[in-house]
Amino acid sequence: MGVRAGSVGASRVLSLDTLVRVERGRTASGAGASRPLTVPEGMRAPLGCDAVAMPARLGPLLMPRLPRVGCVYADSTHWWWLVPSDSDVALDWPAPAHYATGALVPASPGFPGLIHTPDSTLPYTPPIPLYLALCRLTGTPPAWTRQISA
């Protein structure tokens, strides 16, 4: 599926992926006073970074359920887990989780501090195990198991 864009005489097809990325960039840049979580010194994020926020009460319950835990940030109300960019594609993260494109944290009096770093140089928590563990804790069936109505 594509959309044609460009000036008269020049035709360029934009894929759905391109349109999604443009919208995400537009949304992230209009986020106001939000600030991104930063990757710690000495780590690299070749896939870009997004974040999944959840209430702080769920954080300690999730840690032992995950095969690998990347960088985790926390403030008094939320834990923020770094995941590769676009980890929300085809996933409907269950409430009360919040998916933050670009790892942008809304402005608040206390910015989240780093509470966990992995042993490797990659800051990511694998998104599928995080998603499944969060679904399990919240009693939400994963998106691909839900019936689709016509």
Side-chain angles (χ1 to χ4, degrees), residues 73-101:
Y73 299 79
D75 60 23
S76 61
T77 58
H78 291 90
W79 282 30
W80 300 81
W81 306 71
L82 287 187
V83 294
S85 292
D86 301 328
S87 291
D88 63 331
V89 172
L91 291 179
D92 184 17
W93 287 86
H98 168 73
Y99 191 85
T101 302

Side-chain angles (χ1 to χ4, degrees), residues 4-108:
R4 296 212 181 271
S7 60
V8 177
S11 180
R12 185 177 67 173
V13 176
L14 300 176
S15 71
L16 184 56
D17 289 340
T18 302
L19 294 172
V20 167
R21 288 186 191 282
V22 167
E23 174 60 18
R24 287 176 183 211
R26 190 183 66 76
T27 304
S29 66
S34 298
R35 295 188 321 186
L37 295 170
T38 57
V39 174
E41 185 78 28
M43 298 190 109
R44 57 187 182 83
L47 302 175
C49 280
D50 288 347
V52 178
M54 58 202 64
R57 65 182 166 76
L58 295 178
L61 301 173
L62 282 167
M63 291 286 259
R65 294 175 181 247
L66 297 170
R68 180 184 188 285
V69 177
C71 291
V72 180
Y73 299 79
D75 60 23
S76 61
T77 58
H78 291 90
W79 282 30
W80 300 81
W81 306 71
L82 287 187
V83 294
S85 292
D86 301 328
S87 291
D88 63 331
V89 172
L91 291 179
D92 184 17
W93 287 86
H98 168 73
Y99 191 85
T101 302
L104 291 174
V105 176
S108 65

